Amino acid sequence: MAGNDAPSPATFLLTRNAALDLRRIHARSRREWGDDVADRYLADLYATMADAAVNPEKGRLRQHRSTPFLMVSARQHYVIYDLVPEGIAVLTVQHQVRDIETLIAELTPAFHAEVERLKRKA
C-alpha cells in the first residue's frame, strides 16, 4: 500500500443463487405490499449484507451442520454467507421459516464450485 492509499472496504459478492433469491423477494414484496415497502425491505437486506461484510464475525457459524456457513438475521430472512478474500460471498437469502439446513444440503455441485471460485479470487 503506497502513501495515501486506504485499505479497500470489505465488500459482499452475490452468488447467482443469492441474486435470484433477492429478485424473488423483491417481486413478492411488490405484489404483497407495493413498490415502496419492497424497495425499503430490499435496501434493509443490502444493508445487512454490507454490515456482514465489514463484521463477518457477527454471523452464527453453523459448523455442526452438514456444511459450515455463517448467517445473520435480516428482518424476516437469513443472509447465509461464507468468507472470501474481498469480504463475504452471500450464498442464499432465505425466509426464517424455511428449513435452512435442508436448503443448503440441496445446493448443487455447480453452486459449490461457484463458491470455491469466489474464495480463490484475489
Side-chain angles (χ1 to χ4, degrees):
M1 192 159 51
N4 295 336
D5 292 342
S8 55
T11 60
F12 63 89
L13 306 171
L14 298 175
T15 61
R16 289 177 189 93
N17 203 54
L20 288 172
D21 292 338
L22 291 168
R23 279 188 182 176
R24 286 186 207 113
I25 290 165
H26 190 258
R28 179 165 185 201
S29 296
R30 284 180 66 200
R31 283 192 311 274
E32 298 279 332
W33 299 287
D35 289 341
D36 291 341
V37 171
D39 291 346
R40 279 194 309 273
Y41 194 87
L42 204 63
D44 288 349
L45 294 178
Y46 274 90
T48 298
M49 290 182 279
D51 185 49
V54 174
N55 302 298
E57 70 282 352
K58 284 186 175 183
R60 293 185 300 156
L61 182 62
R62 297 178 55 93
Q63 62 191 358
H64 302 294
R65 306 294 188 190
S66 62
T67 304
F69 56 87
L70 296 158
M71 60 187 269
V72 291
S73 179
R75 303 231 0 212
Q76 298 299 312
H77 285 81
Y78 286 121
V79 173
I80 300 156
Y81 62 94
D82 205 350
L83 303 177
V84 295
E86 298 88 352
I88 65 169
V90 178
L91 308 177
T92 186
V93 180
Q94 295 294 323
H95 198 278
Q96 291 180 1
V97 298
R98 305 286 306 270
D99 180 354
I100 303 299
E101 176 63 19
T102 299
L103 291 168
I104 294 297
E106 291 174 349
L107 293 172
T108 66
F111 173 81
H112 292 288
E114 178 183 8
V115 172
E116 287 307 311
R117 278 192 306 278
L118 290 172
K119 284 183 174 184
R120 287 191 306 269
K121 187 176 177 184

